Amino acid sequence: MKIGLLGHGVVGSGVRQIIDEGATWEVRELEVVKILVKDESELTDPRCTLDFNDILNDPEISIVAECMGGLEPAHTFAKKALEKGKHVVTSNKKMLATFCMDLFETAVKSGVTVHYEASCGGGIPWMASLDRTRRVDDIEGFRGIFNGTTNYILDRMKKEGTDFSEMLSEAQKLGYAERDPSDDIDGYDVRYKVALSCVKAFDTLVNIDDITTFGIRNIRKEDLDWCAANGMTCKLIGSGKHFDGFVSACVIPTFLRGDDIFSNIPSNFNIIESQSKTLGAAAFVGQGAGSLPTAHAVVQNIVDIWKNQDPEINDKFAKPVDNQVHKGTFYIRTAKQAGFADLIDRRVGELAFITKKISLVEAAAACAAANDESLFIAEVAE
Ligand code: HSE
């Protein structure tokens, strides 16, 4: 099976390495024959090219592995590859979550497929497990720690009482963070992963901007101190639930109880849990970021295509996101409290309070109206 690789950075070089090393008989059936790189400084291997057409027009290449990141030209290249009858495997959650409908429709027209295990949960076999669960059960919902960078930051802050910005630079040095780390700390990286999980779990396409999203950019030691004093741990949680005609989906820092397995997930690890009728809760833990774990997931998808084990054939339906059904209590710290008077249950600090049980829609609307750039919100688990 001949593969054209787009991108030779953190993930792409890992894909090339795993396939070149060929540790198993399945991987030895694969061959990376061309690698698209950005500029001349990256022409480090005789297979490297600066021209995408070398890959597009090579009739021997049946799979294109897109590991470039970013929206363009990744989207255009993926679309052209599909139109040319090549399967596409991508680790690029931002691109796929944004152009999902377009790429799936193009794939169906061309009789090929789009695979995206690596786009969500790095090396964890999350998408494969959803396919497998769905052979027996409908997925009712999922929740996950989908972002290694923020889990690393929150874990170190909790254990060492360290500062947010110092931990962010460490995560960047370790290669966990996105090129623009705002995507990690503002929750957008998780938003893309929640959108793609809705596709795989529910066959549902959502407008990514409708997924209510809060990140950890404004978290302070005092927030984590209150959380710890109450026996809880803060994690950035992405979740989705399926209802007739709509889904609820969000990304929000969450103060989890100590007996929640999620509260013990360390370092840059991810955990993702599905909920279905006969299986109940089933969780998958592993390396959610980094070169070889993410490349492992790309190669798994390539093997799936070769063995025809992940046909990705279900029709997808666009559905709205409605978070009125998501009810909870929220920890909010803000200096601009005027609009919150009716929502407050009790005060827990000079600027912090816990809300009454309200919907996420109400909480998000009040936070937006406060217009406070340093506001921090977390859901408090029941
Ligand atoms: N920046 C992402 C993370 C990379 O930290 O999880 C993997 O998607």
Side-chain angles (χ1 to χ4, degrees), residues 340-356:
F340 290 97
D342 292 344
L343 305 183
I344 297 176
D345 178 64
R346 65 187 197 281
R347 299 201 157 271
V348 292
E350 198 187 330
L351 299 177
F353 54 84
I354 304 293
T355 67
K356 298 171 188 161

Side-chain angles (χ1 to χ4, degrees), residues 37-342:
V37 296
K38 280 196 305 288
D39 55 50
E40 290 189 354
S41 69
E42 285 191 297
L43 293 169
T44 52
D45 184 295
R47 295 167 290 185
C48 288
T49 173
L50 292 166
D51 185 358
F52 171 64
N53 290 315
D54 287 344
I55 291 174
L56 187 67
N57 297 325
D58 183 337
E60 288 207 307
I61 292 178
S62 50
I63 300 178
V64 168
E66 187 276 302
C67 306
M68 306 173 75
L71 291 179
E72 291 295 352
H75 163 238
T76 303
F77 288 175
K79 184 162 178 162
K80 283 187 174 173
L82 292 169
E83 285 168 344
K84 201 85 175 179
K86 299 181 195 298
H87 299 281
V88 168
V89 176
T90 182
S91 58
N92 187 341
K93 60 247 150 184
K94 182 172 187 169
M95 184 280 287
L96 187 60
T98 307
F99 295 108
C100 215
M101 182 77 98
D102 180 32
L103 293 182
F104 278 112
E105 279 177 4
T106 308
V108 169
K109 270 187 216 144
S110 303
V112 287
T113 48
V114 181
H115 301 256
Y116 46 102
E117 180 74 72
S119 65
C120 198
I124 301 178
W126 165 238
M127 298 289 176
S129 82
L130 286 174
D131 275 338
R132 191 171 169 81
T133 305
R134 291 192 58 192
R135 298 193 304 194
V136 178
D137 258 351
D138 284 338
I139 306 289
E140 294 163 346
F142 62 84
R143 64 169 185 152
I145 295 173
F146 284 96
N147 184 267
T149 303
T150 48
N151 204 53
Y152 179 85
I153 293 171
L154 291 171
D155 190 46
R156 297 267 320 257
M157 282 178 81
K158 178 186 177 193
K159 288 180 178 151
E160 298 162 33
T162 35
D163 184 48
F164 173 83
S165 52
E166 192 188 326
M167 289 304 103
L168 174 60
S169 347
E170 291 257 337
Q172 286 175 297
K173 273 188 223 144
L174 290 165
Y176 305 151
E178 295 302 304
R179 274 186 294 190
D180 174 2
S182 327
D183 269 5
D184 295 300
I185 62 180
D186 293 327
Y188 296 119
D189 175 78
V190 180
R191 179 190 255 188
Y192 303 133
K193 292 166 178 170
V194 166
L196 293 175
S197 296
C198 287
V199 176
K200 197 63 154 176
F202 315 138
D203 291 328
T204 293
L205 299 165
V206 296
N207 180 353
I208 45 178
D209 294 332
D210 295 340
I211 298 175
T212 308
T213 301
F214 295 102
I216 63 160
R217 179 185 289 274
N218 292 334
I219 196 164
R220 290 188 194 153
K221 188 174 175 313
E222 67 205 68
D223 307 317
L224 288 181
D225 286 348
W226 184 87
C227 183
N230 287 276
M232 294 185 283
T233 301
C234 182
K235 298 290 187 187
L236 183 61
I237 303 291
S239 63
K241 272 195 188 154
H242 190 239
F243 297 88
D244 272 349
F246 70 99
V247 296
S248 90
C250 69
V251 181
I252 186 164
T254 305
F255 293 169
L256 298 170
R257 291 162 46 116
D259 59 1
D260 186 327
I261 187 174
F262 275 42
S263 68
N264 293 312
I265 302 304
S267 190
N268 72 320
F269 276 74
N270 284 189
I271 181 167
I272 322 178
E273 179 183 80
S274 63
Q275 183 72 42
S276 61
K277 198 170 168 189
T278 56
L279 180 60
F284 303 85
V285 186
Q287 283 288 328
S291 175
L292 291 174
T294 311
H296 175 107
V298 172
V299 179
Q300 286 284 5
N301 271 164
I302 294 171
V303 174
D304 286 336
I305 295 170
W306 169 52
K307 290 186 160 183
N308 198 23
Q309 282 181 342
D310 177 17
E312 188 61 67
I313 49 170
N314 295 335
D315 288 338
K316 316 289 176 212
F317 301 96
K319 286 187 188 161
V321 175
D322 184 349
N323 284 324
Q324 290 288 356
V325 290
H326 184 132
K327 303 255 194 298
T329 56
F330 300 88
Y331 169 103
I332 297 174
R333 177 182 40 72
T334 174
K336 299 189 178 171
Q337 302 199 356
F340 290 97
D342 292 344

